[in-house]
Amino acid sequence: MQKPDIPDIEGIPLVGLGTWNMFGKECARTIAAAIDMGYRHLDTAQNYRNEKEVGEGVELSGARRDELFITTKVSTYNLEPSALEQSVQESLEKLQTDYIDLLLIHWPTPDMDLEATLSAMFRLMAEGKIRKTGVSNFSPVLFREAISIGPVICNQVEFSPYIKQDDNLAVARDSDLVITAHTPLGKGRACKDPKLQQIGKKNGKTAAQVTLRWLLQHGNVSVIPKSSNMEHLQENFKVFDFKLTGDEMKMISDL
């Protein structure tokens, strides 16, 4: 496994691999190939129904467990404490690991007891089954509430030039926490955007690379683009060797 110098924040590598809608052998092979390229942040979820394949990909890669950062998410139907603890044990078995680096509440629900759910996650931290806790798809108000309960370090939300997260980002900055951007390329829209392509041409980069760089330059942001295309996997990872100007940042924000 290569060991590039990958920046991180709060221990979360700034660029990771999203695995939504990846299944079977393709998922396992993609995970192994990404790790070989230098990825060490892998993102999955109970709802994705591919934790087993992610674990198989890690095993196939031959990487040491302590070289990787694995995130998974608790489904909405497992937020009651006893169900949460049982589901995490199942996730550990599927992922073939003794611990999860980051466990997230996948989605908030109107009837969830946020304090009880997070307290169950904190107990799992104390037992060494998870290293860090966070939330996903939380509004800024709910994110602040979660932070007030205990050591929540991130909120994973959809964040791209077309879906802004200024308020959630402000919450993260106030507490020096992390926003993890899922769907950062707008489901492929960014790759075809003429303005992003123009900025990319100027910098010798693709529109996708420009988009990921724009997100990272906000600070307090990590990104988890999803791809099973080997060329795109390489491109998405190579975003630390250039910097966008202030004018370029504004042009992208204005999209």
Side-chain angles (χ1 to χ4, degrees):
M1 176 182 175
Q2 301 173 15
K3 297 181 181 179
D5 183 17
I6 307 168
D8 66 68
I9 180 169
E10 289 294 319
I12 302 175
L14 292 186
V15 175
L17 176 64
T19 65
W20 178 78
N21 214 26
M22 284 188 190
F23 303 104
K25 292 182 179 179
E26 179 192 35
C27 179
R29 284 196 297 263
T30 300
I31 293 292
I35 292 172
D36 186 60
M37 290 176 192
Y39 282 83
R40 55 188 174 91
H41 179 181
L42 310 172
D43 182 273
T44 182
Q46 294 172 357
N47 266 3
Y48 296 176
R49 302 188 185 282
N50 65 4
E51 289 175 316
K52 182 175 181 290
E53 287 88 347
V54 171
E56 290 171 352
V58 170
E59 183 178 18
L60 183 63
S61 76
R64 294 201 321 265
R65 178 63 183 89
D66 62 2
E67 293 178 314
L68 303 176
F69 188 97
I70 298 176
T71 298
T72 194
K73 310 176 196 75
V74 178
S75 300
T76 54
Y77 47 82
N78 287 326
L79 296 183
E80 190 275 330
S82 62
L84 183 147
E85 292 171 7
Q86 176 60 34
S87 74
V88 168
Q89 186 58 45
E90 293 171 0
S91 291
L92 289 168
E93 292 169 3
K94 291 174 182 176
L95 289 164
Q96 302 179 52
T97 183
D98 295 328
Y99 65 92
I100 292 162
D101 294 279
L102 176 61
L103 183 70
L104 307 178
I105 296 173
H106 201 159
W107 286 91
T109 65
D111 57 350
M112 71 176 178
D113 184 335
L114 181 58
E115 184 168 3
T117 299
L118 287 173
S119 294
M121 294 166 72
F122 300 151
R123 285 195 296 274
L124 291 173
M125 284 180 66
E127 295 171 6
K129 293 183 178 180
I130 63 176
R131 298 286 175 85
K132 301 176 186 293
T133 60
V135 297
S136 182
N137 302 303
F138 272 41
S139 69
V141 171
L142 269 181
F143 188 21
R144 284 193 187 278
E145 182 180 345
I147 294 167
S148 73
I149 294 171
V152 168
I153 69 158
C154 82
N155 186 8
Q156 183 181 124
V157 292
E158 184 170 1
F159 188 5
S160 75
Y162 316 106
I163 296 181
K164 305 299 195 302
Q165 289 289 348
D166 293 346
D167 291 342
N168 261 318
L169 189 54
V171 175
R173 286 171 173 162
D174 285 347
S175 300
D176 198 23
L177 302 178
V178 185
I179 295 296
T180 296
H182 74 70
T183 325
L185 302 178
K187 298 180 180 178
R189 180 180 172 187
C191 303
K192 303 173 184 177
D193 192 297
K195 288 187 178 179
L196 293 171
Q197 290 176 340
Q198 177 186 352
I199 295 171
K201 186 175 181 179
K202 178 182 174 183
N203 287 276
K205 294 291 182 178
T206 66
Q209 289 171 317
V210 166
T211 303
L212 298 176
R213 184 69 210 178
W214 173 79
L215 286 160
L216 294 171
Q217 277 186 219
H218 282 80
N220 296 80
V221 175
S222 66
V223 296
I224 49 169
K226 174 250 178 177
S227 181
S228 57
N229 177 289
M230 295 299 110
E231 183 179 353
H232 293 165
L233 279 174
Q234 288 275 12
E235 288 177 356
N236 292 344
F237 196 55
K238 296 178 179 178
V239 292
F240 299 107
D241 58 351
F242 75 109
K243 188 173 182 179
L244 298 171
T245 66
D247 287 344
E248 289 170 337
M249 290 289 290
K250 184 179 185 303
M251 186 184 300
I252 298 168
S253 295
D254 288 345
L255 291 175

